[in-house]
């Protein structure tokens, strides 16, 4: 029996040393020390031993058992730590490696400049309103003193949906909507898309953007209009910007003016960009016509107002030195990335 036990110890030592996984170790444990294992089988023969031999063999059996148990534990730890080392090696993270740069988008030049314009007017106490792009003929024309047979309709080549509905040809339609819904004092700007049946070229597009401005209050004069526009232009183009008001006609303002700003390239001397004029036309403006006010239920013996309509594309083109309007709509990244 003693030989059997010593033999068992030896084969256990070999088997454990060769085991390469935790499940192999478990198999060995069951085979040697399990209820139906080798050790149990050997000890079953104890009954045939003499009284002197029994404690000696018993002690030896215990030694073999704890030897095998210790070796099992050792092997288990060894396998676990080499598995861990293997895992760490595989999952190494090189923190010095350069990362992948996310490509960030940015706002379109039209949006960038519109945001600037909004900021300037909000800073002067204006609020921002919107109106529909598909508009009733009434708001786009009738209410602005442009009846069906008025020649001013010819210059605005309008897209008609039907006799009463158009794609708005100017943001001035929003003036009427605001005055119908709001009592003075009114101080709003209304940016948005407008549509005209124009052929596309370097300075024309059937879809473009305007920014309408409207102020109605007690004692509003042309001086307020000039001061407001001057503050706006100087904030946008710098303090040397000079404004020029030219008499003009709009059916819904009286008096009316077209407003030019000194050329940002030559400062007024005349150059290629301003076509020798020294000035660049930017907007239409004037004092809101009393009939328009009255049509919206505003008492003209108490209130007066001014309005203006800026072309956003023009401002952007002047601002960013872009000489062809089509570039703003082509979504060509080579162009857009420059701003
Ligand atoms: N709506 C006019 C246009 O599109 C511009 C304008 C707006 C003129 C407000 C006067 C007052 O030409």
């Amino acid at each position: 029996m003693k030989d059997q036990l010593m033999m068992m110890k030896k084969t256990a030592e070999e088997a454990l040393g060769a085991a390469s996984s935790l499940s192999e170790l478990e198999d060995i444990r069951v085979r040697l020390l399990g209820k139906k294992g080798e050790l149990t089988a050997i000890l079953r023969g104890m009954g045939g031993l003499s009284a002197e031999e029994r404690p000696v063999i018993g002690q030896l059996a215990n030694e073999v058992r704890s030897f095998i148990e210790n070796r099992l534990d050792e092997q288990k730890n060894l396998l676990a730590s080499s598995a861990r080392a293997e895992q760490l090696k595989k999952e190494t993270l090189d923190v010095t490696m350069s990362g992948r740069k996310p490509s960030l988008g940015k706002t379109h030049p039209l949006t960038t400049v519109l945001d600037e314009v909004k900021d300037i007017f909000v800073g002067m106490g204006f609020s921002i309103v919107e109106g529909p792009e598909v508009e009733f003929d009434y708001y786009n024309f009738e209410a602005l003193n442009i009846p069906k047979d008025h020649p001013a309709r010819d210059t605005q080549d309008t897209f008609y949906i039907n006799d009463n509905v158009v794609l708005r040809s100017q943001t001035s339609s929003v003036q009427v909507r605001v005055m119908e819904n709001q009592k003075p004092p009114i101080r709003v700007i209304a940016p948005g898309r407008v549509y005209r049946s124009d052929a596309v070229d370097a300075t024309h597009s059937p879809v473009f953007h305007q920014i309408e401005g409207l102020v109605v209050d007690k004692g509003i004069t042309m001086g307020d209009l000039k001061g407001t526009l001057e503050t706006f232009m100087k904030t946008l183009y710098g303090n040397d910007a000079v404004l020029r008001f030219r008499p003009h006609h709009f059916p819904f303002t009286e008096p009316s003016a077209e407003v030019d700003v000194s050329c940002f390239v030559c400062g007024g001397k005349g150059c290629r960009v301003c076509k020798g004029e020294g000035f660049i036309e930017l907007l239409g403006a004037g004092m809101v016509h009393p009939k328009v006010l009255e049509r919206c239920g505003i008492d003209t013996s108490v209130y007066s107002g001014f309005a203006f309509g800026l072309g956003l594309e023009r401002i952007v083109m002047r601002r960013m030195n872009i000489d062809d309007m089509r570039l703003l709509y082509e979504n060509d990244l080579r162009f857009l990335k420059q701003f």
Side-chain angles (χ1 to χ4, degrees), residues 1 24 28-29 59 68 100 123 163 176 198-199 203 220 266 281:
M1 265 183 103
E24 265 180 69
I28 294 170
R29 189 190 67 78
Q59 200 189 342
I68 294 174
R100 232 175 274 142
D163 280 353
V176 181
D198 279 333
T203 52
I220 295 292
C266 65
E281 183 198 322

Side-chain angles (χ1 to χ4, degrees), residues 93-167:
L93 189 70
D94 182 357
V95 292
T96 64
M97 223 156 85
S98 54
R100 232 175 274 142
K101 199 173 166 203
S103 63
L104 280 185
K106 52 181 160 184
T107 55
H108 190 278
L110 284 170
T111 309
T112 310
V113 175
L114 177 58
D115 284 346
E116 255 178 79
V117 171
K118 282 182 185 168
D119 273 354
I120 297 171
F121 280 108
V122 166
M124 290 194 277
F126 284 69
S127 9
I128 296 162
V129 295
E130 280 182 7
E133 290 171 26
V134 182
E135 183 57 286
F136 288 111
D137 182 283
Y138 176 77
Y139 291 104
N140 196 75
F141 291 125
E142 294 277 344
L144 294 168
N145 294 336
I146 313 174
K148 287 255 193 266
D149 57 356
H150 196 287
R153 290 210 182 195
D154 292 345
T155 58
Q156 301 199 351
D157 300 320
T158 312
F159 291 111
Y160 281 86
I161 305 284
N162 60 39
D163 280 353
N164 291 317
V165 180
V166 299
L167 295 184

Side-chain angles (χ1 to χ4, degrees), residues 280-299:
I280 290 162
E281 183 198 322
L282 278 190
L283 63 116
M287 300 305 293
V288 183
H289 198 290
K291 276 202 179 147
V292 176
L293 293 173
E294 277 157 20
R295 205 171 280 126
C296 299
I298 291 175
D299 184 349

